[in-house]
Amino acid sequence: MSTIVLISGYRMKYITEDRLSVYIKHLKVKKETALAAYHWNTALAGALFPAIQCLEVTLRNAIVQAVQSNPPLAAKGLYSTGPDWIFSFTEYMGKKKIKPQKRFTKKCRPGQAVDGSGYVLGQNGDRLIVERLWEERKVIDAVQKLTKAGKAVTANRVISSMDFGFWTNFLSKEYEDHQSKMLLWPNLLGIVFPNAPQGISRQDIESEFNRVRELRNRLTHHEAIWKFFYDDPATGKPDYNRPVYGSNASCSLLLKHFEDLLKLIGWMSSEVLDDFIKHQGDARFRALCSLDGLNSFVDPDKVTNVLAINKGGWGLKKAVEHLNNGKILRITRLGNSVVTIGRDFNRSFDSEK
């Protein structure tokens, strides 16, 4: 695989041909504009991140507040539902899900103590744990990183360091128990997701979040976030033998995923969603996730909305100059602010004219 790509006479190091060929084959752009489309994807990924960040923080806070404010009724005596619940709950789940013969060990070294059942004891006198749940290990890793950094280990710091995968994993069937009121679901379903459609299940919500997690993973792995595959009717999962072709279809599908992401925020908190929209957290993504957004990078002459300036245009030229210098521009009318503009994905052409 070559790491040097020749496009429009330029030799691009460290961007592989495979990385750019997807824009030609799937997005259907011309070879000479593939690199521009690549930069469009970069801008698009950046525009998607605020919504993903909002979703992650909202899910985390919704679960944390639900456990502490409305704990499952049968949780008392099993694990803490106070500020330290993240430590207690993950350890409890480890004990519950991993059988003793796997969680503990009877293989002792000279000098190690064992209990009446032959299990090795640790320095604290408890059974030595040799196998933990993934969530347990994530919490322990966070504690170790905080300690190594010289920071005090607090529940809030550990909680805030957990990633999206940690919180979405709490949505899995491992945390569901219809026979008791010990675990998260369905006990906290209506509290964490008060605005979800009536009758929706934990599994439905997990599926929705898994789609977002797949999209987020593609973003963090620097892949083409607009690239999709048609679903297999039998499984409901992507069929990787049936890719979606064309920029229009790709943008439409990505926008649908974006709308679903916002929907999930609203299921947890309509106030958070309203605030996100109020501050135009979605505006940049909506502008970029379109044919005009793509064309603003690959073929500006095809952008639909045109402001023609034939004579003068001094004010516009000054505005473009400020934007090109990385400044924030405030446009006013009769002394009142109308809009603030900063350099974002805008590109200048023939700026000297």
Side-chain angles (χ1 to χ4, degrees):
M1 181 185 297
S2 173
T3 57
I4 298 182
V5 181
L6 185 64
I7 296 179
S8 301
Y10 294 95
R11 292 169 66 83
M12 301 299 300
K13 295 183 68 176
Y14 311 122
I15 301 179
T16 65
E17 291 182 8
D18 284 348
R19 179 73 72 172
L20 290 180
S21 66
V22 67
Y23 293 87
I24 301 168
K25 182 178 178 181
H26 293 265
L27 200 60
K28 300 299 182 182
V29 302
K30 297 178 181 179
K31 182 177 181 180
E32 58 268 23
T33 63
L35 187 60
Y38 175 86
H39 288 294
W40 167 73
N41 180 75
T42 301
L44 195 60
L48 177 62
F49 189 77
I52 289 180
Q53 179 191 46
C54 182
L55 179 68
E56 288 192 31
V57 173
T58 306
L59 177 63
R60 179 188 74 196
N61 291 343
I63 293 176
V64 170
Q65 291 175 18
V67 170
Q68 295 188 55
S69 301
N70 299 87
L73 295 179
K76 188 175 182 180
L78 299 177
Y79 56 88
S80 170
T81 56
D84 64 339
W85 73 275
I86 194 70
F87 307 108
S88 179
F89 180 60
T90 51
E91 183 178 359
Y92 167 75
M93 291 301 297
K95 294 177 181 178
K96 180 178 177 63
K97 296 296 181 180
I98 302 176
K99 295 181 179 180
Q101 55 266 37
K102 288 187 176 182
R103 187 167 177 82
F104 310 113
T105 181
K106 293 185 177 182
K107 297 180 180 179
C108 65
R109 291 176 294 184
Q112 284 186 312
V114 297
D115 64 10
S117 299
Y119 288 109
V120 177
L121 300 178
Q123 294 181 350
N124 60 359
D126 295 330
R127 287 180 177 179
L128 183 67
I129 300 174
V130 295
E131 184 171 336
R132 297 181 184 272
L133 286 183
W134 177 79
E135 293 86 345
E136 277 188 286
R137 297 198 302 271
K138 290 282 288 184
V139 170
I140 292 172
D141 287 346
V143 170
Q144 292 175 342
K145 288 178 180 178
L146 288 170
T147 303
K148 186 176 181 180
K151 298 180 179 180
V153 176
T154 65
N156 284 339
R157 281 179 171 163
V158 171
I159 287 171
S160 64
S161 69
M162 295 296 105
D163 58 23
F164 192 47
F166 180 86
W167 298 109
T168 54
N169 210 54
F170 274 171
L171 299 173
S172 69
K173 65 179 180 181
E174 298 299 323
Y175 295 89
E176 183 177 52
D177 185 356
H178 288 276
Q179 305 303 318
S180 70
K181 295 186 180 297
M182 295 186 300
L183 304 185
L184 302 182
W185 323 116
N187 302 296
L188 303 183
L189 203 65
I191 299 170
V192 177
F193 302 99
N195 304 320
Q198 188 173 5
I200 197 166
S201 68
R202 189 271 322 156
Q203 187 175 2
D204 294 331
I205 294 175
E206 180 190 17
S207 296
E208 293 272 0
F209 272 90
N210 281 343
R211 284 188 178 272
V212 175
R213 186 163 64 175
E214 289 171 4
L215 181 60
R216 183 192 185 279
N217 288 343
R218 282 159 52 193
L219 185 154
T220 56
H221 295 157
H222 315 299
E223 298 178 14
I225 62 171
W226 49 266
K227 184 180 177 184
F228 290 97
F229 298 85
Y230 291 106
D231 287 344
D232 184 335
T235 64
K237 296 181 179 180
D239 182 350
Y240 295 107
N241 293 316
R242 300 175 59 220
V244 174
Y245 292 104
S247 53
N248 194 23
S250 297
C251 285
S252 295
L253 280 171
L254 181 56
L255 187 59
K256 173 62 168 59
H257 277 64
F258 183 73
E259 298 289 2
D260 288 343
L261 192 161
L262 297 182
K263 174 188 68 180
L264 293 176
I265 296 174
W267 283 2
M268 292 180 285
S269 172
S270 56
E271 293 81 7
V272 170
L273 178 59
D274 290 345
D275 187 69
F276 183 77
I277 301 299
K278 176 184 176 182
H279 288 86
Q280 301 179 30
D282 63 328
R284 182 171 179 246
F285 180 84
R286 293 186 187 280
L288 281 167
C289 189
S290 64
L291 291 181
D292 274 350
L294 173 61
N295 282 331
S296 70
F297 281 75
V298 304
D299 195 351
D301 290 339
K302 288 185 178 180
V303 172
T304 305
N305 299 303
V306 178
L307 174 63
I309 299 177
N310 297 318
K311 294 181 180 180
W314 179 88
L316 181 60
K317 289 182 180 179
K318 194 68 176 177
V320 171
E321 180 183 337
H322 283 314
L323 292 174
N324 286 340
N325 288 331
K327 296 181 179 179
I328 299 294
L329 182 64
R330 179 170 65 98
I331 297 178
T332 65
R333 182 174 59 235
L334 301 177
N336 297 317
S337 298
V338 177
V339 65
T340 55
I341 305 173
R343 181 161 189 170
D344 195 344
F345 67 90
N346 61 295
R347 305 169 70 216
S348 297
F349 306 92
D350 298 324
S351 58
E352 297 300 322
K353 295 182 180 180

